[in-house]
Amino acid sequence: MTQAGEPREEPARRAQSPDPGSSAAPKRAADAYEPEQLSFQRFDDPEAFIETRIIPRIVWDSEFDPSAPAARKQQAEEPGPDRLDRAVPATRAPDDSAESLVDAIDEADRKNLGRNSLLMASGTLVSRVLGMVNASLQTAVLGTLVAGSAFKAANTLPNFILVLLSAGILNAILIPQITKAMKRPDGGQDFVDRLVTATFVLIAAVALVCTAGAGLLMRAFTSLSGSGLQLAIAFAFICMPQVLFYGIFAVLGNILNARGRFGAYGWAPVANNVVAIAGLIVFLSMWGRQDDASAWTPEMIWVLAGSATLGIAVQAAILIPPLYRSGFRWRPRWGLRGHGFGQLGRFAGLTFLALVIAQGGGLLIMKVATYLADTAHARGIEVGSYMHYQNALNLFQMPYSLIAVSLLTALFPQLARAWQRRDDPQIGLSDMRELVRRGLTFPALGIIPASALFIALAVPAVRVVYFSLDADQARATALPLMVMSASMLGYTIVTLQQQYCFATEQGKTNLWMQCLLTFLQVGFALLAYLVPLEYGLLVICLGMFVGNTTLALVFVLYTRRQIGDMGLGSILGMYLRLGAASGLAGLAAWGAYRGILALMPIPEAEMSAGTIWVWQLGGGVIGGLSFLVVLLLATRLLRVQEFFDLLNPVLRKLHLPQVG
């Protein structure tokens, strides 16, 4: 199924000497390799494959690497991939061949990994901040009971369906196949036109079916009843067309990423949040808080759900101008036979099946969470609901998206191109080892401290962002957030696992790994039925921790067996040292926050909501500053040099003093 990348002549690469740590030249090319086989051939002799091409060491951005040769630093000053038309002549001799363009994109992506990641991270940061405002306003409009669960379920279901399309079909296929097709004499125009045409037809068909069946989907995947169910169905009919716009956004974004352009894709969600926030403000000005599911009118439903769907449509439309400026032109072309699509069928089917299993697990979690809240409400008690779960997940996603998604999205096209070069005897799997190592290292340098920070300051984070919640409701959100945050590193490595399997077209491997993850998460979700209602949501979140941590470990061991040693000992050592430093910083942050609250002159019950918010914000800020100071001291004491290699280039760009 997997097509080997065609060997190509690269004199500049051939001229490089063998790895300094090696004592011999390569003895022979790699054995034939079938990625879909779980038991596959490795090199008979570990010395038989020795790296002969050294990827320039990129700590964060080659411009700031003090060990980089002067020539490489000069290259780093050239325009990045967002201005690739001017960057190509500066880095290689003029060459109009399609393969030369792919090489230029790959070279720019490698050199500008830091820039691309920062560009996406900045957009993600603004989008996530606005997303928190959006979620906070939703809580102010809907409350945390039945009406809130109804809208969250209806507005979340298109995301589940999107993941089936995006991660199951689009992300898994588009970037690897586009990068392959770009090497064809026509630059892959005919192939990509047919692929995009078929994808748009699939997305439109799925969106139409889901919209028509919105009522059945709400009945099947929620435990709501009565007026709550009717409200959820009404929301779903308006929210379900989001599937179409989400799908278009994913297609256009993947094409941009494959062409080395990441800015618009990272910033487009900002527009979505702006539109959604505007709709919520209009709603509040007209009707105020509406937490009674039976009191909703058609006008209310259209304003809330309609603005949410309009935001997704705007998000997709924003990608069209930068795609046009990149030189991409699409013309609908029909017919898939005889154009090289047959090889994609099995991989796409296995990947889609894996995502069906994953989303089935997610829908079961939604059903269990809504059951817990509905049952507790009927008994006259309050427990953590699906609204609390989603609010905690929104906060959890902020550092994950800002750090992990930004880096791994920029890394994914490089993984796909590296895999397509694996049969080149001068390169082999050395690129893959280096890129997977980066994927295991770079995100962790931010994710591990973020995990400790969110565990320590979960309560003030919830009370500042979701300011309309009282102390008990905030605690019901903060506790799941703490458990989720503990799984942040495993969650990030599982994202790398999916990208690795997509880039290498290992559908069967991805399937059994996803089955393992879903099995563990579903087991904990079913266990939530057996524990007291007040602990049900925490048990669900514990499944997230156990599942992702287990699969992360399995993936790392599997990958080492497949592509060779990636220096896992040094990576694990970095994890442990940075984890210890982050733990100490987390304790300091929690102590500082509690110390600030101890200074409150009167009990919280006697304060106004605004005063409570100010104290929570002050405690969170002081706690965050304490975390930063202790983290810098502890990382220096424990010699986590990788952390400073990541931080100092950013400080230099901001013209701030360096640390470490």
Side-chain angles (χ1 to χ4, degrees), residues 366-411:
M366 182 170 70
K367 191 174 183 68
V368 173
T370 54
Y371 163 82
L372 296 173
D374 213 28
T375 303
H377 181 68
R379 297 180 185 177
I381 58 176
E382 275 197 34
V383 300
S385 67
Y386 189 61
M387 184 78 168
H388 294 113
Y389 177 86
Q390 281 295 318
N391 285 341
L393 191 60
N394 285 336
L395 283 171
F396 165 86
Q397 290 282 348
M398 187 170 184
Y400 164 74
S401 299
L402 180 65
I403 301 168
V405 173
S406 299
L407 280 164
L408 295 179
T409 298
L411 199 66

Side-chain angles (χ1 to χ4, degrees), residues 119-319:
L119 189 61
M120 293 196 65
S122 60
T124 302
L125 176 61
V126 176
S127 176
R128 285 294 170 182
V129 170
L130 292 176
M132 293 300 101
V133 176
N134 184 8
S136 182
L137 289 173
Q138 283 184 18
T139 304
V141 167
L142 297 158
T144 59
L145 301 177
V146 176
S149 293
F151 179 73
K152 283 292 186 182
N155 199 42
T156 301
L157 192 57
N159 283 278
F160 281 113
I161 297 168
L162 164 74
V163 171
L164 289 175
L165 290 173
S166 180
I169 300 293
L170 306 182
N171 292 349
I173 291 178
L174 285 179
I175 285 184
Q177 299 308 318
I178 290 173
T179 56
K180 280 185 186 179
M182 287 174 69
K183 297 180 181 180
R184 298 185 179 190
D186 67 342
Q189 186 67 48
D190 181 78
F191 180 90
V192 173
D193 281 347
R194 294 177 188 277
L195 180 61
V196 172
T197 300
T199 303
F200 280 155
V201 171
L202 173 64
I203 293 168
V206 171
L208 180 63
V209 170
C210 290
T211 302
L216 293 175
L217 291 171
M218 285 294 99
R219 288 185 173 91
F221 296 119
T222 72
S223 297
L224 297 170
S225 59
S227 59
L229 176 61
Q230 295 306 312
L231 181 61
I233 292 173
F235 282 140
F237 275 115
I238 303 172
C239 291
M240 205 56 70
Q242 293 175 15
V243 172
L244 174 64
F245 303 120
Y246 272 132
I248 293 173
F249 173 74
V251 171
L252 301 185
N254 273 282
I255 296 173
L256 281 169
N257 290 351
R259 299 176 72 84
R261 294 171 179 255
F262 299 90
Y265 186 65
W267 279 86
V270 172
N272 167 31
N273 280 302
V274 169
V275 173
I277 288 170
L280 288 164
I281 292 174
V282 169
F283 189 101
L284 282 171
S285 66
M286 295 179 67
W287 297 292
R289 186 185 183 98
Q290 297 291 332
D291 53 5
D292 183 358
S294 62
W296 282 70
T297 64
E299 292 79 10
M300 295 177 184
I301 294 170
W302 271 103
V303 169
L304 182 61
S307 60
T309 300
L310 178 62
I312 306 302
V314 171
Q315 172 181 283
I318 281 178
L319 297 187

Side-chain angles (χ1 to χ4, degrees), residues 457-505:
L457 300 180
V459 172
V462 170
R463 301 204 68 179
V464 169
V465 173
Y466 304 112
F467 53 83
S468 62
L469 300 180
D470 60 30
D472 291 337
Q473 291 174 333
R475 182 174 178 272
T477 302
L479 290 176
L481 176 60
M482 292 178 186
V483 181
M484 290 180 182
S485 297
S487 68
M488 202 176 289
L489 179 60
Y491 197 87
T492 299
I493 296 175
V494 168
T495 302
L496 177 64
Q497 170 263 313
Q498 292 175 342
Q499 291 193 340
Y500 177 87
C501 289
F502 294 163
T504 58
E505 300 182 34

Side-chain angles (χ1 to χ4, degrees), residues 427-561:
I427 300 173
L429 292 172
S430 61
D431 277 12
M432 288 297 292
R433 282 195 291 272
E434 175 65 17
L435 291 171
V436 171
R437 179 181 173 83
R438 292 182 191 175
L440 291 171
T441 303
F442 285 176
L445 294 170
I447 285 295
I448 292 175
S451 176
L453 179 63
F454 269 62
I455 292 173
L457 300 180
V459 172
V462 170
R463 301 204 68 179
V464 169
V465 173
Y466 304 112
F467 53 83
S468 62
L469 300 180
D470 60 30
D472 291 337
Q473 291 174 333
R475 182 174 178 272
T477 302
L479 290 176
L481 176 60
M482 292 178 186
V483 181
M484 290 180 182
S485 297
S487 68
M488 202 176 289
L489 179 60
Y491 197 87
T492 299
I493 296 175
V494 168
T495 302
L496 177 64
Q497 170 263 313
Q498 292 175 342
Q499 291 193 340
Y500 177 87
C501 289
F502 294 163
T504 58
E505 300 182 34
Q506 298 185 68
K508 189 181 294 184
T509 299
N510 185 60
L511 176 61
W512 71 256
M513 287 187 176
Q514 183 60 61
C515 287
L516 172 63
L517 175 61
T518 304
F519 173 78
L520 293 171
Q521 291 183 319
V522 166
F524 277 86
L526 295 176
L527 183 61
Y529 280 117
L530 305 178
V531 301
L533 290 173
E534 57 267 29
Y535 300 116
L537 198 60
L538 292 179
V539 171
I540 292 174
C541 295
L542 185 61
M544 179 178 177
F545 170 76
V546 173
N548 283 281
T549 302
T550 301
L551 181 54
L553 179 61
V554 169
F555 164 68
V556 168
L557 296 176
Y558 176 87
T559 307
R560 184 178 65 174
R561 180 189 173 202

Side-chain angles (χ1 to χ4, degrees), residues 611-632:
T611 303
I612 293 173
W613 187 86
V614 170
W615 277 98
Q616 292 291 334
L617 176 63
V621 169
I622 298 300
L625 292 174
S626 301
F627 180 89
L628 181 60
V629 170
V630 175
L631 178 66
L632 292 176

